[in-house]
Amino acid sequence: MATAAASDATRTLAADPPAARDKEKDRQPREASIQAVLATLLADAQADDAILQRQPGAQGPPQGQSAFDYDISFDEVDDRITEFQEDSLVKEAFSKGVNLREYAAQIEADLGLVQDAHVLDYLREIHDMIHLHNQVQECDALLENMENLLRGHQEHLGQINAEISVLQEQSRSMTVRLRNRHICEGEINEFFLQHLAELNKMMAFVKSKQEKKIRAFKDVGPELERLRLRAAEKIRDFLLKKIESLKAPNTNIAIIQQSVFLKYKELFWFLMERYSDVGLEIHANYVVTVANYFFASFEKYIKSIGRFQMVIADKLDLIGCEEGAKRGLFSGRLTLKDKTNVFTLGERVHVLTNPEPEIILPHIAEDKNMKYSYEAIFKSITRLLLDNASSEYIFTTEFFARTKTRHPIEVPGVVFTEVFDQTLKFIQATIKSQIENTFDAVGILICIRLNSQNIRIMQKRRIPCLENFLNIVNILLWPKFQAIIDLHIDSLKKATVSRLLPTKDVHPHYIMRRYAEFSASILTLNQGYDDALLVNSLSRLRGEVLILLNKMAGEFPNRKLRSVFLINNIDLVVSTLSEYIAQSFDHERQFFDTLLVERTTEFVEEELQQYIGLMISFVDQHELTDNLSQVDADSFERIANDFNNSWKTSINAMNNSITQAFPNFQNGARILHTAMTQFLVYYRRFLACFERRFNGKRARVQPVGIQSLMFEIKKFK
């Protein structure tokens, strides 16, 4: 059926001769393609026929087989009949009474029509299919050309890749040769450091693989060894030349260390790791050069500023020495030395309180003809030492030390000690010689405090390189200070009283003035430190001063003059100490305040005995008597009468006597007030006894009223 339909379609196509002739030429090239498509369609139609012959209702066995080729099973027939009966179409046909054979024939006819329609659809699209088929073939040809082209490009790229690999290998080889050539012949710079680092890595790698006995290392080893020796030689020459440059005059070592040596510190590390003998040679040359530099610099500086030191104290500037011993041999006048500087702190404390280093510049000091105290020179030298030592310690620690120490010089502080040992010993010896013959205890104590500041500065910087040196300085200064205190005490013990007090003057003595100024200086420098050694030393000194003061007081002919002399001298100390409010003064101030009150009380009692001695004795004798009626009334009246006649004269005499005895106006006024107060106290006590004796009875003599006495005393307030 499909074949017949195809033939009809072919005849239909041929029924139009003009159109066929017009397309004759176009259709001939495609005739083979059309025939191939028709053959495909016929094959599909035959396949459809075979399917239809196997559908229910088909007649007979498939083509090529007879009915007898089947093995009929009635059980199977029953199953098929049952299955067909369940089919919805079969049920519908049975319900309508349709003849199945006719129904099958109709179905077959419909299928034929459908097949013919499909064939016609295929024929309508045949030109497009042919065109598409041609395009596919053209695309296949184009893709084949592109494939050949790409395959050629791939082969070319493979050749280029191989050439690039060769060039890379040549480049690496040239880089290695250039690096090796730079190590051997180039100058030392940043590139040299990079190449040296690569060389060091290769040597470390080869060393780590020695146990594996790799054959390639036999070829590489000699070359690396040659490079190692050449690099060590160049580094040695370079570093020795830089070290030699440090010997030039006016060289700033710190700048060269930072800009050159630290920049190329890996060179020294390479030597210590790969050629330690050369590294130790560099280390030795550096130590000798820099040690000589610092020693020469400090030696020159100390000698230069030593010319500007002023002499503050000598063996005659002790508390117990006579002032007459300081007179000139010919002029008869005191030498021009400012004695107050010996015992008084004054502006010298600025050296301690000023946070600036205060480095003394010799050329400026010489131009301005300046003089400096020893503590100022001490501060200048030590602060200069602190700065240079800190810089050198930081540098040597960074340049010579490594994370993993392999040699003693790599331990932090070892190289610094080698460099500064000679200089530190020189400065230590200089300090010892300069303080050996001094008698300036205040200056030595200031130096002790400056040294304590230096210790705190280094602790704050966290640099331990001068710890031992600063401790040694303390060991030098403290015994010297104690020795000067002992000299002061010995001078007090050996003092000749008669020579110290030739005129028997009750005014404050220069011994007490010296002690007051000296103790104030010591206590000021002890503020915030509370050194027990200073307190004990001052206590010993005070004891000897008071012993000498009492000896001098004993030179006066009467008790009153002795009291006046003691009060004037003690008041001098109290006045001096009262100018300071620091806590370190409390104990010393309290001691002399108490002593002054005791001596003032003794004087007042002695003074009142001169004017109202009988009244004082009478009151002390009868004040505690219970029955005063037994005491003779004449005694009360006689004392009252004497007082009435002399009290104004006594008050005026006391005022004149006290004012003349005590040149310090405040001290005289205080003592006068104490005397008048005590005068009133004794008189009140007498009046109380007087009233108890007469008990309202009228006496022959009436005592002066207390109000009159107070009114008169207020005139002297």
Side-chain angles (χ1 to χ4, degrees), residues 105-122:
Q106 182 64 35
I107 290 299
E108 183 177 1
D110 292 339
L111 288 174
L113 294 176
V114 170
Q115 181 178 354
D116 293 341
H118 280 294
V119 171
L120 292 176
D121 289 338
Y122 289 149

Side-chain angles (χ1 to χ4, degrees), residues 291 295 415-427:
F295 178 80
V415 178
F416 170 83
T417 301
E418 295 174 338
V419 170
F420 260 89
D421 183 62
Q422 185 181 11
T423 301
L424 294 180
K425 289 181 179 178
F426 170 73
I427 297 176

Side-chain angles (χ1 to χ4, degrees), residues 468-480:
N468 292 335
F469 171 79
L470 296 176
N471 290 334
I472 292 175
V473 172
N474 265 339
I475 294 174
L476 292 174
L477 294 175
W478 272 113
K480 183 59 182 179

Side-chain angles (χ1 to χ4, degrees), residues 338-551:
D338 186 2
K339 298 186 296 299
T340 58
N341 285 339
V342 179
F343 307 104
T344 304
L345 183 60
E347 295 183 355
R348 298 174 71 180
V349 74
H350 295 327
V351 176
L352 188 63
T353 57
N354 190 357
E356 297 298 324
E358 295 184 316
I359 304 299
I360 299 173
L361 302 178
H363 63 281
I364 295 179
E366 186 173 6
D367 292 341
K368 297 183 179 181
N369 195 23
M370 301 176 68
K371 293 292 182 180
Y372 299 92
S373 62
Y374 174 69
E375 61 268 18
I377 293 177
F378 176 87
K379 180 178 182 180
S380 180
I381 293 174
T382 54
R383 292 298 170 85
L384 194 63
L385 174 64
L386 259 61
D387 292 341
N388 282 274
S390 298
S391 176
E392 184 64 20
Y393 179 84
I394 293 173
F395 167 75
T396 54
T397 300
E398 185 175 354
F399 185 81
F400 291 98
R402 296 292 299 273
T403 304
K404 296 180 180 179
T405 58
R406 298 183 178 88
H407 193 276
I409 68 169
E410 297 178 0
V411 178
V414 171
V415 178
F416 170 83
T417 301
E418 295 174 338
V419 170
F420 260 89
D421 183 62
Q422 185 181 11
T423 301
L424 294 180
K425 289 181 179 178
F426 170 73
I427 297 176
Q428 176 184 331
T430 300
I431 294 174
K432 183 178 180 180
S433 64
Q434 289 176 340
I435 68 174
E436 190 171 11
N437 298 319
T438 185
F439 294 86
D440 183 14
V442 174
I444 295 297
L445 187 54
I446 294 176
C447 291
I448 291 174
R449 298 309 183 210
L450 287 171
N451 197 59
S452 298
Q453 289 183 354
N454 293 338
I455 292 175
R456 288 195 295 270
I457 290 173
M458 297 303 286
Q459 289 175 345
K460 187 176 181 180
R461 293 177 181 178
R462 297 182 179 180
I463 298 178
C465 59
L466 294 180
E467 183 176 355
N468 292 335
F469 171 79
L470 296 176
N471 290 334
I472 292 175
V473 172
N474 265 339
I475 294 174
L476 292 174
L477 294 175
W478 272 113
K480 183 59 182 179
F481 173 80
Q482 193 62 41
I484 298 176
I485 296 293
D486 293 338
L487 290 175
H488 283 295
I489 293 174
D490 290 340
S491 70
L492 293 170
K493 291 179 179 180
K494 297 176 181 179
T496 303
V497 176
S498 60
R499 298 181 63 177
L500 292 175
L501 200 65
T503 60
K504 305 297 186 294
D505 189 359
V506 296
H507 288 75
H509 198 271
Y510 60 81
I511 294 292
M512 295 306 293
R513 186 193 70 240
R514 292 174 181 176
Y515 172 77
E517 294 170 349
F518 184 74
S519 61
S521 300
I522 299 301
L523 293 172
T524 300
L525 295 174
N526 199 33
Q527 177 66 22
Y529 292 91
D530 300 328
D531 283 330
L533 179 62
L534 289 183
V535 176
N536 294 335
S537 298
L538 194 60
S539 177
R540 291 171 52 220
L541 184 62
R542 181 183 64 212
E544 293 298 330
V545 166
L546 293 179
I547 292 173
L548 180 60
L549 182 65
N550 289 323
K551 288 181 180 180

